[in-house]
Amino acid sequence: MSSAFRLEPEVGLHPEQGRVRLRTLVFIRWMAICGQTAALLIAHFGLGLELPLIAAFLVVLTSGVLNVAQVATRPASSWLRNKEATMALAFDLIQISVLLSLTGGLTNPFSILILGPVTVSASILTRRSTICLGILAIVAVTADVFFYLPLPWPEGSFFLHSLYLYGLWAALVFTAIFLAVYVSSLTEEARSMGMALVASQMALAREQKLSALGGLAAAAAHELGSPLGTMLVVAKEMKEELPPDDIYLPDVELLISEILRCREILQNLAAWPEEDGGDPYNFIPVQTLVEAAIAPYEKLDIKTVIQASSCEDDGEHSLEHPMVERSPEILHSLGLFAQNAIQFAKEKVDITLVWDNRTISLTIHDDGPGFDPQVLGRLGDPLLSNREHAQKAQAQKNQSPKNQTPQNQAPKNQESRKEEDGDHMGLGVFIATTLLSHTGGKVTYANHEAGGAVVEIIWPRNRLEVATQPV
């Protein structure tokens, strides 16, 4: 149950569209240049350490030249593409590594700054870019272990054992790996969550606009009713004034019939919001709400069965049917679940609605291949998988012989469901789960013992009814 759950291209920022402004990287680099210059001057003139100032300042100057060149060639407010930002941070990393090699390598107290570009990448760039910069940082740290100019400490005042130097190297390497993998994963997850929330807000806003159309239709019918009534009165008076054989009589009769037709259309529009739940003060049975959400996605070749009953229905003591508001959140979420259940079902989709004094429960069960066990435990998270698996599954399906027996085709169907679930399921399930949670619903996903996927939503009955009772 997944194909409808796709992330629209316009939602969020695509990695190649950039996530960082040029102004930000330029500012960070100017800060680094100021810090590097101050450290060199203090160490050389304040502490009396004989450093290769000319070579060191030339390395610092390259960063300043790059800053000036970037600002001169493009607006500072422009967004850098992911590749451009990665190259800029790679340059900064190499620049810091060369500067460290001229000033003591890893024995320099500021050697920790070589992880700065990796940290920046982990917070704003893609995971791939961060891993690449992490590998580059490891190479740079390793080079600084073997190729560096020792710091000119006062004679006999300071000495670092090689074992400590290698320990420092290991610490920097493991920190680079940690930043490249763990921190970037957390950042990517937070970014995916933000994009998913934007998508859910857009879906909810779309449903709210559709619900508002009912009120607009009622307002239009009310405003146009009076002018049409006046036109009808005038047309009828004209008909009475004309003789039976007048050549304009058919035109007047046609005008009257068209006015009556317009009045009928407006009456239907005025009645539609009340019948379909567009009026925010109109309450409908919960079964009607479920039917309205599922109706647009029904197919002739798939049998959809809706069963509604009370848990304590004994004929004489049947619980009253819950009356709820026509909620855009519930309509959109149930529509997503129903659409995918019908798409993957072989012949039938069973929808069971049950209520008691405390809860309202809805279960959607299709006879399709079911959920892939590998993603079943992660449903409800904004999974944004790549599409390569789905394309591979489709290619395998296209290459399969046409004369396959149904028994041989079953694994293909299962694989197609599995691949497509991994590709499209995550964001849509997250949207539906999030919207339903706002209405008090709790969603669970499972595979039925007899086969097929099962989605169950349980609401507290008082949450739906109390929140929607008119004042």
Side-chain angles (χ1 to χ4, degrees):
M1 300 170 61
S2 62
S3 66
F5 303 140
R6 305 188 183 186
L7 178 63
E8 299 296 334
E10 63 271 18
V11 178
L13 278 172
H14 190 276
E16 291 303 321
Q17 293 176 337
R19 296 190 178 106
V20 59
R21 292 185 185 274
L22 176 62
R23 180 191 298 114
T24 303
L25 288 184
V26 168
F27 175 76
I28 294 174
R29 192 176 291 121
W30 281 127
M31 294 290 293
I33 290 173
C34 293
Q36 292 167 1
T37 302
L40 288 173
L41 293 177
I42 293 174
H44 186 81
F45 296 104
L47 302 179
L49 301 179
E50 296 294 333
L51 300 177
L53 284 184
I54 296 179
F57 277 122
L58 287 177
V59 175
V60 176
L61 183 62
T62 57
S63 291
V65 172
L66 178 61
N67 260 4
V68 173
Q70 286 185 325
V71 174
T73 55
R74 59 191 305 177
S77 60
S78 61
W79 290 91
L80 290 180
R81 294 180 177 272
N82 187 77
K83 183 177 180 180
E84 295 172 338
T86 303
M87 296 300 294
L89 291 176
F91 170 84
D92 294 335
L93 197 153
I94 295 174
Q95 187 261 0
I96 295 174
S97 177
V98 173
L99 189 60
L100 287 175
S101 68
L102 295 175
T103 56
L106 297 188
T107 63
N108 190 319
F110 295 98
S111 59
I112 190 68
L113 293 177
I114 200 170
L115 299 177
V118 182
T119 305
V120 174
S121 176
S123 61
I124 60 177
L125 300 184
T126 62
R127 186 181 306 174
R128 178 181 299 180
S129 297
T130 304
I131 292 176
C132 291
L133 288 173
I135 294 174
L136 181 59
I138 293 174
V139 173
V141 168
T142 304
D144 287 336
V145 171
F146 300 101
F147 307 100
Y148 67 94
L149 296 178
L151 284 173
W153 302 104
E155 295 184 6
S157 62
F158 186 75
F159 172 74
L160 279 178
H161 194 275
S162 59
L163 183 61
Y164 179 84
L165 191 63
Y166 294 142
L168 183 58
W169 170 85
L172 292 175
V173 168
F174 285 121
T175 303
I177 295 175
F178 175 81
L179 292 173
V181 178
Y182 185 74
V183 176
S184 64
S185 298
L186 293 179
T187 304
E188 192 70 25
E189 183 177 351
R191 187 181 298 119
S192 300
M193 183 70 70
M195 296 171 66
L197 287 175
V198 171
S200 63
Q201 290 172 356
M202 293 176 61
L204 180 57
R206 183 167 57 250
E207 290 298 325
Q208 290 173 338
K209 289 181 180 179
L210 292 176
S211 298
L213 289 178
L216 294 177
H222 176 74
E223 295 294 332
L224 294 176
S226 297
L228 283 177
T230 302
M231 294 168 60
L232 181 61
V233 171
V234 173
K236 287 182 177 180
E237 291 179 352
M238 293 175 59
K239 180 181 178 180
E240 293 176 357
E241 295 291 336
L242 295 177
D245 57 348
D246 193 284
I247 59 175
Y248 295 108
L249 184 60
D251 294 333
V252 174
E253 292 177 345
L254 177 61
L255 179 61
I256 294 175
S257 64
E258 291 299 319
I259 294 175
L260 293 175
R261 182 168 177 266
C262 290
R263 171 181 285 185
E264 181 180 358
I265 293 173
L266 291 177
Q267 289 175 349
N268 292 335
L269 287 176
W272 174 77
E274 297 178 356
E275 295 174 358
D276 200 36
D279 186 353
Y281 296 100
N282 183 40
F283 298 92
I284 58 177
V286 66
Q287 180 179 352
T288 305
L289 179 65
V290 174
E291 292 173 352
I294 296 172
Y297 307 104
E298 291 183 325
K299 294 182 179 179
L300 296 177
D301 56 339
I302 301 296
K303 185 178 180 181
T304 304
V305 179
I306 302 177
Q307 297 179 346
S309 63
S310 167
C311 291
E312 303 177 6
D313 189 356
D314 59 0
E316 296 181 358
H317 300 85
S318 176
L319 291 177
E320 183 180 355
H321 201 299
M323 301 295 292
V324 298
E325 183 183 0
R326 189 179 184 273
S327 168
E329 294 94 333
I330 297 178
L331 284 172
H332 183 80
S333 302
L334 297 186
L336 287 174
F337 289 135
Q339 179 183 12
N340 287 271
I342 292 172
Q343 176 179 351
F344 284 100
K346 297 177 182 178
E347 297 179 354
K348 184 180 179 182
V349 175
D350 291 315
I351 300 174
T352 305
L353 179 65
V354 180
W355 62 88
D356 56 24
N357 284 322
R358 294 176 299 175
T359 62
I360 299 174
S361 175
L362 177 69
T363 303
I364 302 175
H365 172 216
D366 64 73
D367 59 353
F371 295 117
D372 175 29
Q374 295 181 353
V375 302
L376 183 58
R378 302 174 61 192
L379 292 179
D381 297 334
L383 312 178
L384 300 179
S385 306
N386 58 42
R387 301 178 183 269
E388 295 178 359
H389 297 298
Q391 295 173 354
K392 180 180 177 182
Q394 184 64 32
Q396 293 177 352
K397 182 178 179 181
N398 295 336
Q399 293 175 2
S400 61
K402 294 183 178 180
N403 57 355
Q404 277 187 313
T405 62
Q407 290 79 6
N408 294 334
Q409 291 176 356
K412 290 290 184 179
N413 294 337
Q414 177 71 26
E415 182 67 18
S416 176
R417 175 66 175 261
K418 171 183 175 180
E419 300 292 356
E420 208 165 348
D421 281 346
D423 183 42
H424 303 305
M425 171 67 78
L427 183 61
V429 168
F430 173 80
I431 293 174
T433 304
T434 302
L435 294 179
L436 289 175
S437 66
H438 291 165
T439 66
K442 180 181 180 181
V443 187
T444 57
Y445 309 92
N447 287 323
H448 199 274
E449 296 179 356
V454 178
V455 177
E456 183 180 20
I457 307 103
I458 300 177
W459 293 273
R461 177 163 178 162
N462 60 355
R463 176 70 180 271
L464 287 184
E465 287 191 315
V466 172
T468 57
Q469 288 297 327
V471 180

